[in-house]
Amino acid sequence: MPSSYRLMRDLIIILLGVFLPIAPFAARAQTASKPYRVGILTEQRAEDAQPGIQLWWTAMRQLGYIEGKSAVFALKAAEDKFDLLPRLARELVEEKVDLILTFSTPAAVAAKQVTLTIPIVTTSADPIGAGLVRGLAQPGGNVTGVYIPLIDMAPKRLQLLREAVPNIASVAILLNPQNSTARLQAKATEAAAHALRIATYPVEISNQGELGRAFQTLATKRPQGFIVMQDPLMYTAGKKLAEFALKNRLPGFHPYRTFADAG
């Protein structure tokens, strides 16, 4: 097995870490004459991506990788500007990284557009629709990773919110309009809400600077609850969203643990 594909396998193991304990794989320590260069492509701000990168290093150390010796990360952050992703992906290709790691469909699509040979590891809710793979059983090409059925999960999240608030009649849908997967989640949520006779309206947040405007919209519209569509931007905003919800006694469903940790 080529060394870069062993690295790809181990990164997939880490992606599956929610389901598979990493410790049993620790014996797979890699010994390379030069460190693997893992390019990380994200739409997040660099400062927001750092905590996640540190978590990755923690997991990779358990697999036997040594920072600077057997692997290094090269971060390209779009600073909440999705239109920068293609240029940043090209930069990673020009830097001859061994593998590109992304955490969303838009970043993975940008990477695939500039290379058909460098392995790309990602998580995606719509890998076939986005053109990343031909199929789940036989993906083909240079993209692999973990499929998360976020679009199918979106209606269930609304049902869970309704169970918590039985008489809920209106729900705000918070989404990043730049993320195609978030838009599909919102569409599925709206369809489920219509069937349950729950009124919905979108609240779009494209970057951290728009959180204040979103909060003002929620305070003015006064919905009976809100649901957050999964997206890296929303992960970063989890604590602020939780603080707003607590202050305004507004029931909400957030897909990330940061929301619950914040209270």
Side-chain angles (χ1 to χ4, degrees):
M1 180 187 296
S3 59
S4 61
Y5 284 88
R6 286 198 296 270
L7 172 63
M8 180 173 65
R9 174 203 61 194
D10 289 341
L11 288 173
I12 294 172
I13 289 170
I14 296 173
L15 281 173
L16 288 168
V18 176
F19 310 103
L20 300 176
I22 292 175
F25 298 93
R28 293 178 175 173
Q30 301 296 310
T31 55
S33 57
K34 63 178 182 178
Y36 298 122
R37 285 184 55 79
V38 179
I40 298 179
L41 181 64
T42 176
E43 58 268 48
Q44 291 180 288
R45 299 180 300 181
E47 61 189 86
D48 294 333
Q50 289 303 323
I53 292 175
Q54 292 307 311
L55 289 174
W56 274 91
W57 268 124
T58 298
M60 290 186 72
R61 290 188 193 102
Q62 294 181 56
L63 288 169
Y65 293 90
I66 301 173
E67 185 174 357
K69 289 189 176 181
S70 53
V72 294
F73 282 150
L75 173 65
K76 298 292 182 180
E79 305 291 328
D80 291 336
K81 300 179 179 65
F82 277 60
D83 58 332
L84 293 182
L85 287 172
R87 176 173 66 80
L88 296 176
R90 285 193 296 272
E91 291 179 5
L92 288 175
V93 173
E94 292 168 359
E95 293 174 13
K96 301 186 185 305
V97 296
D98 297 297
L99 182 145
I100 297 175
L101 177 64
T102 80
F103 309 108
S104 69
T105 300
V109 169
K112 184 175 175 62
Q113 288 174 344
V114 297
T115 179
L116 297 177
T117 55
I118 297 175
I120 300 168
V121 176
T122 189
T123 62
S124 177
D126 188 31
I128 299 174
L132 294 173
V133 299
R134 290 196 297 266
L136 297 179
Q138 296 181 323
N142 62 323
V143 180
T144 188
V146 176
Y147 165 58
I148 305 176
L150 296 180
I151 299 165
D152 294 334
M153 292 163 60
K156 184 61 178 178
R157 289 170 173 165
L158 177 66
Q159 292 170 13
L160 290 172
L161 180 59
R162 190 184 185 219
E163 288 179 12
V165 189
N167 296 320
I168 194 167
S170 60
V171 172
I173 299 175
L174 277 60
L175 73 150
N176 182 349
Q178 298 186 86
N179 189 331
S180 59
T181 301
R183 294 197 303 270
L184 290 173
Q185 292 175 62
K187 185 176 180 180
T189 302
E190 290 170 351
H194 179 74
L196 295 171
R197 297 183 179 180
I198 297 174
T200 64
Y201 58 86
V203 177
E204 298 184 347
I205 306 172
S206 299
N207 55 65
Q208 295 290 327
E210 294 183 357
L211 278 173
R213 177 187 56 78
F215 292 154
Q216 185 176 9
T217 299
L218 289 171
T220 301
K221 295 280 190 179
R222 301 187 65 82
Q224 294 178 337
F226 70 93
I227 297 182
V228 178
M229 302 297 102
Q230 191 159 332
D231 171 88
L233 171 65
M234 298 301 180
Y235 173 81
T236 304
K239 187 173 185 296
K240 292 181 179 179
L241 288 168
E243 291 171 349
F244 175 85
L246 283 170
K247 181 179 179 180
N248 292 273
R249 303 180 63 82
L250 182 64
F253 196 112
H254 196 289
Y256 295 106
R257 179 176 173 175
T258 52
F259 188 75
D261 289 343

